[in-house]
Amino acid sequence: MTEGLEKMTVQGLLWAAKSDSGEFSVKSGETKDTKTKGVWLWGSTVYNQGANGAKTVTDQMKQYGFTDIFLLVKGTSGAVGYDSKTALKVAHTDRDVLHEVIDEAHKKGIKVHAWFCIDCDAAWAAVHPEDMMVHITKGPDPSKNRISPLSPAYREYTENLIREVVQNYDIDGIQLDYIRYPHIAYGFNENYEIAKAKDAGINVDNVRDVINQTYYNTDSDGKAIFESYDRGDKDVVGWVNLRRNAVDSFAGEIKDIVKSVRPKIKYSASLMPEGAYDATFLVAQNDSKTFAEVHYGQDYSDAAKIYDFVVPMLYWNDYGKSPQWADALYKNTVNIFGRNRVIAGLQAYSPTKSADLCDTVNYIRESSGEGIALFRYGTFGLSSIDIKGKGCKENIMDITMTDPLNPDNSANVDITKVEIDMKGGITARKVLGNIDGCQIKLSDDGKMVTITGMPCIPQNGTLKLSVVIDGKNDTGREPAQVRFYVTNKYSEVRVYNKY
């Protein structure tokens, strides 16, 4: 047990006494759970929790039903999170976080996918600035980490890193991220994209003019490049296809390496969501597959031929959309790839609230979806709800809540307020017991239990509570939603509810 865990005080352990004559769940609607429940995890999150960080994280993942971890082993900085003989930069030379997570996860039956950021690498850019993506107006990438996917040297380097991991670690999968261009404004490296365009007879000056008309001229219209592509402008189509082929061929080369070393390993990618649209820009403007093809060089029909499965990043709040939007694009992706090849990537970070996260998870469940993946561990809370009644005079709702918030996301990691919101036809009649140092309030209508304390759940702490309930939950969804809050201002932290 780490020093932090030794200091941790569990604030409540208030299970109701039950007879041993058997138990059953209170009647509710039936909704099939997803097969895969994944979470993206930064290696730094594990490292910063000390020597037992991998055990702490995987214990929580197991307790709340997660099946897969997508562990960041190479981020946009270029630093790798394992003992590498190849990498330009190693994040932590004193520990091998990849080995630690694999060891602890596999003990619990959890799969580990090594997550690589591909076309972003600040370490490589520092040594090879000539390989950076070039912006149409700003020149070499201002962020100094975006690398052209057409650089032969960078391809070889990246492929060697992935080969090193596949050969030396008992991973269950390789996942690619940032396997794309960030915007149509990028891709003007004279040695790579422009040289290939000239060889292909593409008029790059015409492409520049159309992009400038879209974004950078004083009379820019925000649409010229997309309309030109949809209408078949030869140079624009050639330019977009050149970038798309750069992305596809890089992904294909990596696949060949992965499968040649370990054919059964799962090969996946996280994709931008716009590629799931089924309309063109001329019909739907930015909500179109044209948007993804032009900006990112990503095409879902191409990806379906490369990857074992994909994770569309359906981050609805970042797009000013709703959970229904995420569900619609998930279904579109399934239509392209097939149901068992799509994991819905869901936004579990601010400003997402518990209600929206629960709604989105439920939409995927109700679609008989293959799975979900939450971005990312350390930004959301965890709860599980179990209702039992047989052998008791009363129906009891047992709620278990854990605070996994991590300082690499926010300085505020202790939970100071919890709300348990009864759903469907369920109401709470009374809370069993007390919690030292906390106040518990049951609303007059029985729909809300509120717990406050300083804190009521500390970082990595677990709170267990039992409530006597009345009524039935026939919705097929969670019988209650849990919300966490931090600081005196009570900023809401979204909670993943297992039920």
Side-chain angles (χ1 to χ4, degrees):
M1 183 174 289
T2 66
E3 180 180 357
L5 286 175
E6 288 171 352
K7 294 180 179 178
M8 181 189 74
T9 302
V10 176
Q11 300 292 327
L13 184 56
L14 305 175
W15 294 104
K18 300 179 177 67
S19 73
D20 58 2
S21 58
E23 300 172 333
F24 70 96
S25 295
V26 170
K27 185 182 293 183
S28 65
E30 295 271 339
T31 301
K32 183 179 179 181
D33 200 1
T34 59
K35 177 181 176 182
T36 300
K37 287 179 281 294
V39 63
W40 281 287
L41 171 66
W42 285 357
S44 61
T45 301
V46 176
Y47 182 86
N48 291 337
Q49 295 200 50
N52 285 338
K55 183 179 186 308
T56 298
V57 172
T58 55
D59 281 350
Q60 292 172 357
M61 294 297 96
K62 180 65 175 178
Q63 180 178 1
Y64 290 93
F66 287 89
T67 61
D68 291 67
I69 292 173
F70 299 94
L71 177 67
L72 184 61
V73 298
K74 177 180 171 289
T76 58
S77 71
V80 302
Y82 63 94
D83 183 16
S84 174
K85 304 297 188 293
T86 304
L88 293 174
K89 184 178 181 181
V90 177
H92 309 292
T93 57
D94 59 327
R95 286 170 54 191
D96 189 332
V97 172
L98 176 57
H99 173 76
E100 292 172 9
V101 172
I102 291 171
D103 183 50
E104 289 294 339
H106 283 179
K107 290 177 184 177
K108 304 169 181 73
I110 299 172
K111 298 176 182 177
V112 179
H113 306 254
W115 161 27
F116 282 83
C117 293
I118 300 300
D119 292 321
C120 278
D121 191 318
W124 183 270
V127 179
H128 300 281
E130 72 279 2
D131 283 348
M132 286 194 294
M133 291 186 191
V134 176
H135 189 279
I136 189 172
T137 64
K138 300 176 183 178
D141 177 33
S143 64
K144 300 188 183 302
N145 66 8
R146 295 183 176 99
I147 309 298
S148 171
L150 288 172
S151 163
Y154 180 66
R155 283 193 179 205
E156 182 180 8
Y157 169 71
T158 301
E159 291 162 9
N160 285 338
L161 289 176
I162 292 174
R163 181 185 289 107
E164 183 177 51
V165 168
V166 174
Q167 287 178 337
N168 298 322
Y169 292 86
D170 186 22
I171 55 169
D172 302 284
I174 290 287
Q175 182 172 82
L176 309 189
D177 194 3
Y178 287 90
I179 181 70
R180 62 181 184 265
Y181 288 88
H183 191 279
I184 188 59
Y186 286 88
F188 289 88
N189 189 304
E190 290 283 350
N191 297 322
Y192 303 125
E193 289 87 0
I194 290 181
K196 277 191 171 291
K198 290 178 178 178
D199 289 344
I202 297 170
N203 186 332
V204 178
D205 288 337
N206 180 45
V207 174
R208 289 181 187 273
D209 289 343
V210 178
I211 295 174
N212 283 327
Q213 179 58 37
T214 309
Y215 291 112
Y216 302 108
N217 292 347
T218 55
D219 61 344
S220 60
D221 58 17
K223 61 184 182 180
I225 189 70
F226 308 106
E227 291 181 343
S228 296
Y229 178 74
D230 281 348
R231 288 175 176 148
D233 180 284
K234 176 184 175 183
D235 296 317
V236 171
V237 171
W239 182 256
V240 170
N241 285 342
L242 183 155
R243 294 162 88 248
R244 189 174 79 187
N245 290 337
V247 170
D248 288 348
S249 62
F250 198 179
E253 287 180 8
I254 296 171
K255 177 183 180 179
D256 289 343
I257 289 169
V258 171
K259 296 297 185 177
S260 68
V261 178
R262 290 176 58 193
K264 294 184 178 180
I265 205 169
K266 294 298 182 182
Y267 185 55
S268 68
S270 52
L271 302 179
M272 297 299 283
E274 295 96 332
Y277 284 118
D278 52 15
T280 64
F281 186 88
L282 292 174
V283 173
Q285 286 71 56
N286 289 350
D287 293 341
S288 65
K289 62 182 180 181
T290 303
F291 192 88
E293 292 169 2
V294 169
H295 272 314
Y296 312 128
Q298 285 186 346
D299 182 277
Y300 275 35
S301 60
D302 293 348
K305 301 170 186 175
I306 299 172
Y307 302 106
D308 293 321
F309 70 90
V310 294
V311 188
M313 296 179 287
L314 307 173
Y315 302 162
W316 63 94
N317 269 312
D318 283 358
Y319 285 83
K321 304 291 186 179
S322 67
Q324 290 89 341
W325 171 86
D327 180 46
L329 290 194
Y330 169 76
K331 290 174 179 175
N332 285 357
T333 309
V334 167
N335 288 337
I336 298 169
F337 287 83
R339 189 171 304 280
N340 64 350
R341 296 178 62 202
V342 183
I343 305 298
L346 304 183
Q347 182 172 358
Y349 57 90
S350 183
T352 296
K353 307 298 185 185
S354 289
D356 277 356
L357 180 58
C358 289
D359 279 349
T360 313
V361 171
N362 283 320
Y363 286 137
I364 305 304
R365 286 165 56 105
E366 289 159 1
S367 299
S368 298
E370 177 71 10
I372 60 170
L374 304 183
F375 189 89
R376 63 180 167 80
Y377 174 89
T379 66
F380 58 91
L382 297 165
S383 73
S384 66
I385 298 168
D386 192 21
I387 301 176
K388 297 181 176 69
K390 187 177 180 181
C392 299
K393 294 180 180 179
E394 301 168 310
N395 291 323
I396 307 296
M397 176 184 288
D398 293 331
I399 309 115
T400 304
M401 298 161 282
T402 296
D403 169 17
L405 300 185
N406 201 270
D408 61 13
N409 177 66
S410 172
N412 300 309
V413 296
D414 290 339
I415 304 304
T416 55
K417 179 181 175 182
V418 174
E419 291 179 342
I420 304 169
D421 187 1
M422 302 295 159
K423 294 296 180 181
I426 292 180
T427 58
R429 193 191 326 153
K430 64 180 177 180
V431 177
L432 300 176
N434 298 302
I435 303 175
D436 292 341
C438 295
Q439 297 77 47
I440 305 174
K441 180 180 178 181
L442 176 60
S443 64
D444 292 340
D445 63 2
K447 298 299 288 185
M448 182 77 70
V449 177
T450 303
I451 308 167
T452 55
M454 295 300 289
C456 49
I457 314 178
Q459 183 192 13
N460 286 329
T462 293
L463 174 66
K464 295 183 179 182
L465 191 70
S466 292
V467 180
V468 179
I469 61 170
D470 297 312
K472 296 179 180 179
N473 176 32
D474 294 318
T475 67
R477 295 189 169 192
E478 62 278 348
Q481 286 181 5
V482 177
R483 296 185 287 272
F484 289 171
Y485 297 83
V486 295
T487 77
N488 290 330
K489 294 181 180 179
Y490 290 144
S491 300
E492 184 180 341
V493 176
R494 67 243 45 99
V495 175
Y496 170 76
N497 287 286
K498 172 180 176 271
Y499 64 97

